Amino acid sequence: MANVSFLAVSSELGKELPKCWPEDSGDLSSILVLGGGSRPYVFLTARVHPGESNASWVMKGTLEFLVSSDPIAELLRKCFIFKIVPMLNPDGVIHGNLRCSLSGDDLNRQWLTPSSQLHPTIYHAKGLLYYLRSIGRAPLVFCDYHGHSQKKNVFLYGCSIKETLWQAGCMVDTAVVTEDVGYRTLPKILDKVAPAFVMNSCSFLVEKSRASTARVVVWKEMGVLRSYTMESTYCSCSHGLYRGLQLGTKELEEMGSKFCLGLLILHLKSLPCSKELMAQAALLLDLEEEITDRAQRCNLFIFHTVSRVRSASGKARN
Ligand SMILES: [Zn+2]
């Protein structure tokens, strides 16, 4: 059975970090610690479904950005402690499975009662999440990266009681149900900063058939409000800069890095920040906006130029 890499990324090694491993870390080996500290956790996982290789490209974008010397990445490492399992199903990937592990199970349907023998990666990832919750440090954000074979764009599945009740046409008066709508903030931010991401493609329904998935169990059992599955399309985009185009590895990696940028903006919007941090972030984000605008103008120019060339050559062939 293959070992599972487990990464922790942050800056300035803090007192808490050495305690943050479960008693029995089992298969979670190859540990790389890049720092720590007393700050919110972000827990990221990917590739539980071996066939969804696009999820690994998004994860590559996230990892490379987080350990880069980009000033936004440096700020992110000061703001958060990242716990990352880049590949939850390495056996399935090595053996060329489409969806299952070596035990023949869909590992993203085992989070309710994972077996330490049959589903060790899920068992220990869940153990670490329970440990963080037990010390009062449940993650601010949990996100499991996937690929979607039918839906377009990149989008999030999240969890909302109210939206589930509305959708189900439930007789319960939802006005009396109180719910923090903070689960909508990150997807709204990503809709603005990530060209492939589309808010309108997101869904926050909790379906019975998904009760044993990572996002629903982490939301329900650990009380993580911002618990998501991030789906990246196999079959092109219907909106925005990449409308009508397939996502290549470059765009998937870009999505991974923009997800990190989204986390920084979420931090500024949702958590108390020092004036110094706010000023530093504001300066960087202004620059980032300028760079994004410039890149988008440039990409649009290239895209329109290519389109004109294609239509001209199409006419020539006719
Ligand atoms: Zn999947």
Side-chain angles (χ1 to χ4, degrees):
M1 192 171 280
N3 282 341
V4 176
S5 293
F6 169 61
L7 314 174
V9 182
S10 193
S11 64
E12 297 164 15
L13 190 63
K15 285 178 187 168
E16 291 88 346
L17 197 64
K19 295 190 294 180
C20 288
W21 318 114
E23 287 296 308
D24 171 16
S25 62
D27 287 295
L28 295 173
S29 55
S30 311
I31 292 170
L32 171 64
V33 179
L34 297 173
S38 176
R39 60 205 84 174
Y41 284 85
V42 171
F43 204 112
L44 305 175
T45 57
R47 206 71 187 274
V48 71
H49 292 143
E52 297 167 7
S53 51
N54 48 357
S56 284
W57 285 101
V58 180
M59 179 54 83
K60 182 171 181 278
T62 293
L63 288 173
E64 288 185 350
F65 183 77
L66 280 181
V67 298
S68 73
S69 55
D70 188 298
I72 290 178
E74 284 175 16
L75 205 52
L76 275 162
R77 296 195 296 267
K78 284 182 191 166
C79 290
F80 294 110
I81 300 171
F82 292 88
K83 300 283 188 187
I84 303 173
V85 186
M87 190 176 283
L88 276 169
N89 190 354
D91 296 327
V93 170
I94 289 166
H95 288 85
N97 292 357
L98 182 65
R99 197 165 176 92
C100 294
S101 64
L102 275 190
S103 64
D105 295 311
D106 180 340
L107 292 181
N108 202 31
R109 297 293 182 275
Q110 310 302 328
W111 279 77
L112 270 178
T113 52
S115 154
S116 61
Q117 297 300 309
L118 295 175
H119 325 115
T121 56
I122 307 302
Y123 180 85
H124 291 292
K126 188 175 177 182
L128 178 55
L129 281 157
Y130 255 110
Y131 182 77
L132 292 176
R133 197 194 67 155
S134 74
I135 57 169
R137 305 290 299 277
L140 179 75
V141 173
F142 171 86
C143 190
D144 189 24
Y145 294 5
H146 285 246
H148 205 292
S149 59
Q150 292 171 348
K151 293 192 173 177
K152 291 177 185 281
N153 310 312
V154 180
F155 56 95
L156 292 179
Y157 286 126
C159 304
S160 160
I161 295 173
K162 272 199 173 184
E163 296 195 29
T164 303
L165 292 174
W166 285 331
Q167 187 75 16
C170 192
M171 298 304 285
V172 176
D173 178 9
T174 53
V176 299
V177 179
T178 53
E179 184 174 49
D180 184 340
V181 292
Y183 64 88
R184 282 187 157 262
T185 313
L186 182 60
K188 278 184 187 168
I189 294 167
L190 292 176
D191 188 69
K192 289 198 171 69
V193 301
F197 191 91
V198 175
M199 178 70 187
N200 284 342
S201 299
C202 296
S203 170
F204 304 97
L205 306 184
V206 184
E207 296 166 88
K208 209 173 178 183
S209 60
R210 302 292 187 271
S212 196
T213 59
R215 76 170 177 280
V216 175
V217 171
V218 172
W219 169 70
K220 210 170 172 183
E221 291 189 24
M222 322 288 170
V224 176
L225 174 70
R226 299 169 188 85
S227 179
Y228 306 106
T229 303
M230 183 157 74
E231 298 280 2
S232 297
T233 183
Y234 284 3
C235 48
S236 81
C237 291
S238 60
H239 288 73
L241 186 65
Y242 302 140
R243 185 179 173 184
L245 300 174
Q246 296 287 344
L247 293 183
T249 54
K250 187 169 147 275
E251 291 75 27
L252 292 166
E253 287 184 66
E254 175 194 60
M255 184 62 233
S257 65
K258 294 296 180 189
F259 184 83
C260 300
L261 174 63
L263 289 172
L264 181 61
I265 299 171
L266 175 74
H267 187 289
L268 298 173
K269 278 177 175 264
S270 314
L271 300 174
C273 296
S274 67
K275 276 184 185 169
E276 190 193 353
L277 174 67
M278 193 63 100
Q280 209 179 340
L283 185 69
L284 289 172
L285 293 174
D286 277 343
L287 285 176
E288 173 69 22
E289 217 163 79
E290 204 176 283
I291 291 164
T292 308
D293 283 351
R294 214 178 303 152
Q296 288 191 351
R297 280 199 300 273
C298 181
N299 282 345
L300 277 173
F301 172 74
I302 293 166
F303 175 63
H304 286 140
T305 306
V306 169
S307 301
R308 276 202 300 275
V309 170
R310 277 184 188 151
S311 63
S313 61
K315 276 175 198 162
R317 275 198 300 273
N318 289 337

